[in-house]
Amino acid sequence: RARRHDRAVALLFLDVDRFKEVNDAHGHAAGDELLCAVAERLRGAVRSADLLARQGGDEFAVVLADLEPGDAVAQGLAAGERVRAALAEPIALSGGVVVEVRASVGVSVLGRDAGDADHLLRHADVAMYRAKRAGGSAVRLYRATGGDDGALASAATTAGEPDARERAEALDALLAGDGPASVYQPIVELSTGDVVAYEALARGPQGSPVERPDRLFATARETGRLGELDWACSAAALRGALAAPLARPRRLFVNVEPEALGLPCPDHLAGVFERAGSELDVVLEITERALTARPADLLHLVDAVRARGWGIALDDVGADVRSLALMPLLRPDVIKLDLRLVQEQPTTEIAEIVNAVNAERERTGATVLAEGIETEEHLRLAQALGATLGQGWLFGRPGPLSPPAAAPVR
């Protein structure tokens, strides 16, 4: 619309500083309440015609549309200052908790800083990180230093974000060396609280450009090495479980990426998988992406896994409606409910998903596991949805594997 009518658009991207401190000190319920209070403050600071959205986590975006082209920069910066001023006063939460937060704000203008929506968002994000590096609680306008992509890489590095070359080199070193590390999140039986299993989650080397799992897997995908990385992650998960040791009847949940399905196990990892086959009970987690991407390879893998005596879990059920259609085909031993089913308000769509899952459970005897349980309210909802197993921060965050000495009741 802006292009058709010769108008300008500015995008504000803001991060709530110190949000993690509030979350850690007072719990996730206080964090949720804080986000709602921040949203109300922001709504009062922007024009009724502006679009305010929560981008994710503690990040918000504001679209300033229908601006005069010659005035877009000034209006964007002015809106950024209004947003910062709106968060200057302390925020009172339930239970007498009073917190102080600020915002780092980045501004990007269509036509001046970016030619499309994707770069507009990325450049506003870069500008926000510059504001944070400048001491936090500031407003920064994106400033190009050359061509569009080159400027983005340069700005991202300046903002503390590793560029693609740094990440690729770090991935090369990781795969040529000891490989990724594994952390483990407990899975509990909801009726007893017994730890009955652990899910293995991959991490890059501490302090490296690919320490975070999102960067690690994104870099592997960009460089065509996702299958290789997935085998390395699975091997790391098994090594950690064997070393702990994770004794039966507790099980180890391991994720598989679709890109790894057509890639044979590397020779140097074969011994780990052979030993795990005789000493561990493993449940392989599969998403609907695996079947839609490589159906034949996946079904062969499922047969091989079951022949070894291991289990199959269908992950993120409810995040994509396609996963419901796969249940009769895979006949999973465990159906993992996506975290949004326990963290969002119940809807007709959620009811339909739960009905389909419970019908499959009654037909096959599959176990239902709810993810994302962070509060007692989430726990009660998970049980109401039919889950008997659960995982989430209420029971433990990912960390080193140290199974309880006593075996679970059943």
Side-chain angles (χ1 to χ4, degrees), residues 166-216:
E166 291 175 319
R167 290 187 286 108
E169 289 175 353
L171 176 65
D172 289 343
L174 178 146
L175 291 175
D178 296 332
S182 273
V183 292
Y184 301 83
Q185 185 172 37
I187 294 171
V188 307
E189 188 170 40
L190 297 182
S191 61
T192 64
D194 285 339
V195 176
V196 297
Y198 290 87
E199 179 179 358
L201 303 166
R203 298 291 186 268
Q206 191 170 7
S208 83
V210 292
E211 176 182 0
R212 284 176 16 195
D214 56 340
R215 287 184 187 162
L216 177 63

Short mmCIF file of all heavy atoms in Angstrom, two decimals, residues 166-216:
data_model
loop_
_atom_site.label_atom_id
_atom_site.label_comp_id
_atom_site.label_asym_id
_atom_site.label_seq_id
_atom_site.Cartn_x
_atom_site.Cartn_y
_atom_site.Cartn_z
N GLU A 166 31.51 -16.74 10.32
CA GLU A 166 31.92 -17.15 11.66
C GLU A 166 31.17 -18.39 12.12
O GLU A 166 31.75 -19.31 12.71
CB GLU A 166 31.68 -16.00 12.66
CG GLU A 166 32.60 -14.81 12.47
CD GLU A 166 32.22 -13.66 13.40
OE1 GLU A 166 31.02 -13.40 13.58
OE2 GLU A 166 33.14 -13.04 13.94
N ARG A 167 29.87 -18.41 11.84
CA ARG A 167 29.07 -19.55 12.26
C ARG A 167 29.48 -20.82 11.51
O ARG A 167 29.56 -21.91 12.08
CB ARG A 167 27.59 -19.26 12.07
CG ARG A 167 27.06 -18.21 13.04
CD ARG A 167 25.55 -18.03 12.96
NE ARG A 167 25.12 -17.31 11.78
CZ ARG A 167 24.50 -17.84 10.74
NH1 ARG A 167 24.20 -19.14 10.74
NH2 ARG A 167 24.14 -17.11 9.71
N ALA A 168 29.73 -20.67 10.19
CA ALA A 168 30.13 -21.83 9.38
C ALA A 168 31.47 -22.39 9.85
O ALA A 168 31.66 -23.62 9.93
CB ALA A 168 30.20 -21.45 7.91
N GLU A 169 32.42 -21.52 10.18
CA GLU A 169 33.72 -21.97 10.67
C GLU A 169 33.58 -22.67 12.02
O GLU A 169 34.24 -23.68 12.28
CB GLU A 169 34.67 -20.78 10.79
CG GLU A 169 35.12 -20.21 9.44
CD GLU A 169 35.97 -18.96 9.59
OE1 GLU A 169 36.10 -18.45 10.73
OE2 GLU A 169 36.51 -18.50 8.57
N ALA A 170 32.70 -22.15 12.87
CA ALA A 170 32.48 -22.78 14.17
C ALA A 170 31.85 -24.16 14.01
O ALA A 170 32.19 -25.10 14.74
CB ALA A 170 31.61 -21.88 15.04
N LEU A 171 30.92 -24.29 13.05
CA LEU A 171 30.29 -25.59 12.80
C LEU A 171 31.33 -26.58 12.27
O LEU A 171 31.35 -27.75 12.69
CB LEU A 171 29.15 -25.43 11.80
CG LEU A 171 28.47 -26.73 11.38
CD1 LEU A 171 27.76 -27.37 12.57
CD2 LEU A 171 27.47 -26.48 10.25
N ASP A 172 32.20 -26.13 11.37
CA ASP A 172 33.25 -27.00 10.85
C ASP A 172 34.13 -27.53 11.98
O ASP A 172 34.45 -28.73 12.04
CB ASP A 172 34.13 -26.24 9.85
CG ASP A 172 33.39 -25.94 8.54
OD1 ASP A 172 32.36 -26.59 8.29
OD2 ASP A 172 33.85 -25.05 7.79
N ALA A 173 34.51 -26.63 12.89
CA ALA A 173 35.36 -27.03 14.01
C ALA A 173 34.64 -28.01 14.93
O ALA A 173 35.24 -28.98 15.42
CB ALA A 173 35.81 -25.80 14.80
N LEU A 174 33.36 -27.78 15.14
CA LEU A 174 32.58 -28.67 16.01
C LEU A 174 32.51 -30.07 15.43
O LEU A 174 32.74 -31.06 16.13
CB LEU A 174 31.19 -28.07 16.20
CG LEU A 174 30.17 -28.86 17.04
CD1 LEU A 174 29.27 -27.91 17.79
CD2 LEU A 174 29.32 -29.77 16.14
N LEU A 175 32.19 -30.18 14.13
CA LEU A 175 32.02 -31.49 13.52
C LEU A 175 33.35 -32.20 13.33
O LEU A 175 33.41 -33.43 13.30
CB LEU A 175 31.29 -31.35 12.17
CG LEU A 175 29.82 -30.93 12.28
CD1 LEU A 175 29.23 -30.70 10.89
CD2 LEU A 175 29.01 -31.97 13.03
N ALA A 176 34.44 -31.43 13.21
CA ALA A 176 35.76 -32.05 13.08
C ALA A 176 36.34 -32.43 14.43
O ALA A 176 37.30 -33.22 14.51
CB ALA A 176 36.72 -31.08 12.37
N GLY A 177 35.77 -31.87 15.51
CA GLY A 177 36.30 -32.13 16.86
C GLY A 177 35.43 -33.08 17.64
O GLY A 177 35.05 -34.16 17.16
N ASP A 178 35.08 -32.67 18.86
CA ASP A 178 34.34 -33.54 19.77
C ASP A 178 32.84 -33.59 19.49
O ASP A 178 32.12 -34.38 20.10
CB ASP A 178 34.55 -33.09 21.22
CG ASP A 178 36.01 -33.22 21.66
OD1 ASP A 178 36.70 -34.10 21.10
OD2 ASP A 178 36.45 -32.44 22.51
N GLY A 179 32.37 -32.72 18.59
CA GLY A 179 30.94 -32.71 18.28
C GLY A 179 30.14 -31.91 19.28
O GLY A 179 30.68 -31.33 20.22
N PRO A 180 28.82 -31.89 19.12
CA PRO A 180 27.96 -31.11 20.01
C PRO A 180 27.87 -31.75 21.39
O PRO A 180 28.21 -32.92 21.58
CB PRO A 180 26.60 -31.13 19.30
CG PRO A 180 26.64 -32.39 18.49
CD PRO A 180 28.07 -32.57 18.07
N ALA A 181 27.41 -30.96 22.34
CA ALA A 181 27.14 -31.47 23.68
C ALA A 181 25.65 -31.74 23.81
O ALA A 181 24.84 -31.26 23.01
CB ALA A 181 27.58 -30.45 24.73
N SER A 182 25.28 -32.52 24.80
CA SER A 182 23.87 -32.81 25.07
C SER A 182 23.50 -32.36 26.47
O SER A 182 24.27 -32.55 27.41
CB SER A 182 23.57 -34.31 24.92
OG SER A 182 23.26 -34.64 23.59
N VAL A 183 22.32 -31.77 26.58
CA VAL A 183 21.70 -31.55 27.88
C VAL A 183 20.40 -32.33 27.88
O VAL A 183 19.89 -32.74 26.82
CB VAL A 183 21.44 -30.04 28.13
CG1 VAL A 183 22.75 -29.30 28.31
CG2 VAL A 183 20.62 -29.42 27.01
N TYR A 184 19.86 -32.57 29.08
CA TYR A 184 18.74 -33.50 29.20
C TYR A 184 17.65 -32.88 30.06
O TYR A 184 17.91 -32.35 31.14
CB TYR A 184 19.22 -34.81 29.83
CG TYR A 184 20.31 -35.50 29.04
CD1 TYR A 184 21.64 -35.12 29.20
CD2 TYR A 184 20.01 -36.49 28.12
CE1 TYR A 184 22.66 -35.73 28.47
CE2 TYR A 184 21.02 -37.11 27.38
CZ TYR A 184 22.34 -36.72 27.56
OH TYR A 184 23.34 -37.33 26.82
N GLN A 185 16.40 -32.96 29.55
CA GLN A 185 15.26 -32.45 30.30
C GLN A 185 14.41 -33.62 30.78
O GLN A 185 14.07 -34.51 29.99
CB GLN A 185 14.41 -31.50 29.46
CG GLN A 185 13.27 -30.86 30.25
CD GLN A 185 12.55 -29.78 29.46
OE1 GLN A 185 12.36 -29.91 28.26
NE2 GLN A 185 12.15 -28.71 30.15
N PRO A 186 14.06 -33.64 32.08
CA PRO A 186 13.29 -34.78 32.59
C PRO A 186 11.87 -34.83 32.04
O PRO A 186 11.24 -33.80 31.78
CB PRO A 186 13.29 -34.55 34.10
CG PRO A 186 13.55 -33.09 34.28
CD PRO A 186 14.41 -32.67 33.13
N ILE A 187 11.38 -36.03 31.90
CA ILE A 187 9.99 -36.32 31.55
C ILE A 187 9.41 -37.09 32.73
O ILE A 187 10.00 -38.08 33.18
CB ILE A 187 9.90 -37.15 30.26
CG1 ILE A 187 10.40 -36.32 29.07
CG2 ILE A 187 8.47 -37.64 30.01
CD1 ILE A 187 10.55 -37.13 27.78
N VAL A 188 8.28 -36.63 33.26
CA VAL A 188 7.75 -37.22 34.49
C VAL A 188 6.37 -37.82 34.26
O VAL A 188 5.65 -37.45 33.32
CB VAL A 188 7.66 -36.18 35.64
CG1 VAL A 188 8.99 -35.48 35.85
CG2 VAL A 188 6.56 -35.16 35.36
N GLU A 189 6.03 -38.77 35.14
CA GLU A 189 4.66 -39.28 35.18
C GLU A 189 3.85 -38.30 36.01
O GLU A 189 4.20 -38.01 37.16
CB GLU A 189 4.63 -40.67 35.80
CG GLU A 189 3.27 -41.31 35.70
CD GLU A 189 3.31 -42.78 36.09
OE1 GLU A 189 4.01 -43.11 37.05
OE2 GLU A 189 2.61 -43.57 35.43
N LEU A 190 2.80 -37.74 35.42
CA LEU A 190 2.10 -36.63 36.06
C LEU A 190 1.41 -37.03 37.35
O LEU A 190 1.29 -36.22 38.27
CB LEU A 190 1.08 -36.04 35.08
CG LEU A 190 1.66 -35.43 33.80
CD1 LEU A 190 0.55 -34.86 32.94
CD2 LEU A 190 2.70 -34.37 34.11
N SER A 191 0.97 -38.26 37.47
CA SER A 191 0.23 -38.66 38.67
C SER A 191 1.14 -38.88 39.87
O SER A 191 0.70 -38.74 41.02
CB SER A 191 -0.57 -39.93 38.39
OG SER A 191 0.30 -40.99 38.03
N THR A 192 2.41 -39.22 39.63
CA THR A 192 3.31 -39.54 40.74
C THR A 192 4.50 -38.57 40.85
O THR A 192 5.13 -38.50 41.91
CB THR A 192 3.89 -40.96 40.57
OG1 THR A 192 4.70 -41.00 39.38
CG2 THR A 192 2.77 -41.98 40.46
N GLY A 193 4.83 -37.88 39.77
CA GLY A 193 6.01 -37.03 39.76
C GLY A 193 7.29 -37.79 39.51
O GLY A 193 8.39 -37.20 39.50
N ASP A 194 7.22 -39.12 39.29
CA ASP A 194 8.41 -39.92 39.01
C ASP A 194 9.03 -39.51 37.68
O ASP A 194 8.32 -39.34 36.68
CB ASP A 194 8.05 -41.42 38.94
CG ASP A 194 7.81 -42.02 40.30
OD1 ASP A 194 8.28 -41.45 41.30
OD2 ASP A 194 7.14 -43.07 40.37
N VAL A 195 10.35 -39.43 37.65
CA VAL A 195 11.07 -39.19 36.40
C VAL A 195 11.16 -40.52 35.66
O VAL A 195 11.81 -41.46 36.14
CB VAL A 195 12.47 -38.61 36.65
CG1 VAL A 195 13.22 -38.45 35.33
CG2 VAL A 195 12.38 -37.27 37.37
N VAL A 196 10.52 -40.60 34.49
CA VAL A 196 10.48 -41.86 33.75
C VAL A 196 11.33 -41.83 32.49
O VAL A 196 11.58 -42.86 31.88
CB VAL A 196 9.03 -42.24 33.39
CG1 VAL A 196 8.21 -42.47 34.65
CG2 VAL A 196 8.39 -41.15 32.54
N ALA A 197 11.78 -40.63 32.09
CA ALA A 197 12.56 -40.52 30.86
C ALA A 197 13.24 -39.15 30.82
O ALA A 197 12.99 -38.29 31.68
CB ALA A 197 11.66 -40.69 29.63
N TYR A 198 14.11 -38.98 29.82
CA TYR A 198 14.76 -37.70 29.57
C TYR A 198 14.76 -37.44 28.07
O TYR A 198 14.92 -38.38 27.27
CB TYR A 198 16.21 -37.69 30.07
CG TYR A 198 16.35 -37.70 31.57
CD1 TYR A 198 16.36 -38.90 32.27
CD2 TYR A 198 16.47 -36.51 32.29
CE1 TYR A 198 16.48 -38.92 33.65
CE2 TYR A 198 16.60 -36.53 33.68
CZ TYR A 198 16.60 -37.72 34.35
OH TYR A 198 16.73 -37.74 35.71
N GLU A 199 14.58 -36.17 27.69
CA GLU A 199 14.76 -35.79 26.29
C GLU A 199 16.13 -35.14 26.14
O GLU A 199 16.50 -34.25 26.91
CB GLU A 199 13.69 -34.81 25.81
CG GLU A 199 13.91 -34.42 24.35
CD GLU A 199 12.86 -33.46 23.80
OE1 GLU A 199 11.92 -33.11 24.54
OE2 GLU A 199 13.00 -33.05 22.63
N ALA A 200 16.89 -35.61 25.16
CA ALA A 200 18.21 -35.06 24.88
C ALA A 200 18.08 -33.86 23.94
O ALA A 200 17.39 -33.93 22.92
CB ALA A 200 19.10 -36.12 24.24
N LEU A 201 18.77 -32.77 24.28
CA LEU A 201 18.75 -31.54 23.49
C LEU A 201 20.19 -31.12 23.20
O LEU A 201 21.05 -31.19 24.08
CB LEU A 201 18.02 -30.43 24.25
CG LEU A 201 16.58 -30.77 24.66
CD1 LEU A 201 16.07 -29.77 25.69
CD2 LEU A 201 15.68 -30.80 23.43
N ALA A 202 20.46 -30.70 21.98
CA ALA A 202 21.83 -30.41 21.55
C ALA A 202 22.22 -28.97 21.87
O ALA A 202 21.40 -28.06 21.82
CB ALA A 202 21.97 -30.66 20.06
N ARG A 203 23.51 -28.79 22.16
CA ARG A 203 24.10 -27.46 22.37
C ARG A 203 25.47 -27.42 21.69
O ARG A 203 26.19 -28.43 21.68
CB ARG A 203 24.27 -27.14 23.86
CG ARG A 203 22.97 -27.09 24.66
CD ARG A 203 22.12 -25.89 24.28
NE ARG A 203 20.95 -25.77 25.14
CZ ARG A 203 19.77 -26.31 24.87
NH1 ARG A 203 19.61 -27.04 23.78
NH2 ARG A 203 18.75 -26.14 25.69
N GLY A 204 25.83 -26.25 21.17
CA GLY A 204 27.17 -26.07 20.63
C GLY A 204 28.15 -25.75 21.73
O GLY A 204 27.77 -25.59 22.90
N PRO A 205 29.45 -25.65 21.41
CA PRO A 205 30.46 -25.33 22.42
C PRO A 205 30.17 -24.01 23.11
O PRO A 205 29.77 -23.04 22.45
CB PRO A 205 31.77 -25.27 21.61
CG PRO A 205 31.49 -26.07 20.39
CD PRO A 205 30.04 -25.86 20.08
N GLN A 206 30.36 -23.96 24.41
CA GLN A 206 30.08 -22.75 25.18
C GLN A 206 30.93 -21.59 24.69
O GLN A 206 32.14 -21.71 24.53
CB GLN A 206 30.33 -23.00 26.67
CG GLN A 206 29.81 -21.90 27.56
CD GLN A 206 29.84 -22.29 29.03
OE1 GLN A 206 30.37 -23.34 29.39
NE2 GLN A 206 29.30 -21.45 29.89
N GLY A 207 30.27 -20.45 24.44
CA GLY A 207 30.97 -19.25 23.99
C GLY A 207 31.23 -19.19 22.50
O GLY A 207 31.72 -18.18 22.00
N SER A 208 30.85 -20.24 21.76
CA SER A 208 31.09 -20.23 20.31
C SER A 208 29.92 -19.58 19.58
O SER A 208 28.84 -19.45 20.15
CB SER A 208 31.29 -21.66 19.80
OG SER A 208 30.04 -22.29 19.56
N PRO A 209 30.10 -19.19 18.30
CA PRO A 209 28.99 -18.58 17.54
C PRO A 209 27.81 -19.52 17.33
O PRO A 209 26.75 -19.07 16.93
CB PRO A 209 29.65 -18.21 16.21
CG PRO A 209 31.11 -18.09 16.50
CD PRO A 209 31.37 -19.13 17.56
N VAL A 210 28.00 -20.83 17.57
CA VAL A 210 26.89 -21.78 17.37
C VAL A 210 26.53 -22.46 18.69
O VAL A 210 26.03 -23.60 18.70
CB VAL A 210 27.25 -22.83 16.30
CG1 VAL A 210 27.34 -22.19 14.93
CG2 VAL A 210 28.54 -23.57 16.65
N GLU A 211 26.74 -21.77 19.81
CA GLU A 211 26.37 -22.35 21.10
C GLU A 211 24.87 -22.57 21.19
O GLU A 211 24.39 -23.61 21.61
CB GLU A 211 26.83 -21.45 22.24
CG GLU A 211 26.39 -21.94 23.62
CD GLU A 211 26.81 -21.01 24.74
OE1 GLU A 211 27.44 -19.98 24.46
OE2 GLU A 211 26.50 -21.31 25.91
N ARG A 212 24.09 -21.56 20.75
CA ARG A 212 22.64 -21.66 20.81
C ARG A 212 22.14 -22.67 19.78
O ARG A 212 22.61 -22.70 18.64
CB ARG A 212 22.00 -20.30 20.54
CG ARG A 212 22.09 -19.36 21.71
CD ARG A 212 21.56 -17.98 21.43
NE ARG A 212 20.72 -17.84 20.26
CZ ARG A 212 20.41 -16.66 19.73
NH1 ARG A 212 20.89 -15.55 20.26
NH2 ARG A 212 19.63 -16.58 18.67
N PRO A 213 21.17 -23.54 20.15
CA PRO A 213 20.71 -24.55 19.20
C PRO A 213 20.08 -23.98 17.94
O PRO A 213 20.19 -24.57 16.86
CB PRO A 213 19.71 -25.38 20.01
CG PRO A 213 19.34 -24.52 21.18
CD PRO A 213 20.53 -23.67 21.46
N ASP A 214 19.40 -22.81 18.05
CA ASP A 214 18.79 -22.25 16.83
C ASP A 214 19.86 -21.86 15.83
O ASP A 214 19.74 -22.12 14.62
CB ASP A 214 17.90 -21.06 17.18
CG ASP A 214 18.63 -19.97 17.96
OD1 ASP A 214 19.68 -20.24 18.55
OD2 ASP A 214 18.14 -18.82 17.97
N ARG A 215 20.97 -21.26 16.31
CA ARG A 215 22.07 -20.91 15.40
C ARG A 215 22.76 -22.16 14.87
O ARG A 215 23.15 -22.23 13.70
CB ARG A 215 23.08 -20.03 16.12
CG ARG A 215 22.64 -18.61 16.38
CD ARG A 215 23.76 -17.84 17.01
NE ARG A 215 23.36 -16.51 17.45
CZ ARG A 215 24.04 -15.79 18.32
NH1 ARG A 215 25.15 -16.28 18.86
NH2 ARG A 215 23.63 -14.58 18.67
N LEU A 216 22.94 -23.15 15.75
CA LEU A 216 23.63 -24.37 15.36
C LEU A 216 22.92 -25.06 14.20
O LEU A 216 23.53 -25.37 13.17
CB LEU A 216 23.72 -25.30 16.57
CG LEU A 216 24.35 -26.67 16.36
CD1 LEU A 216 25.80 -26.54 15.94
CD2 LEU A 216 24.23 -27.51 17.64
#
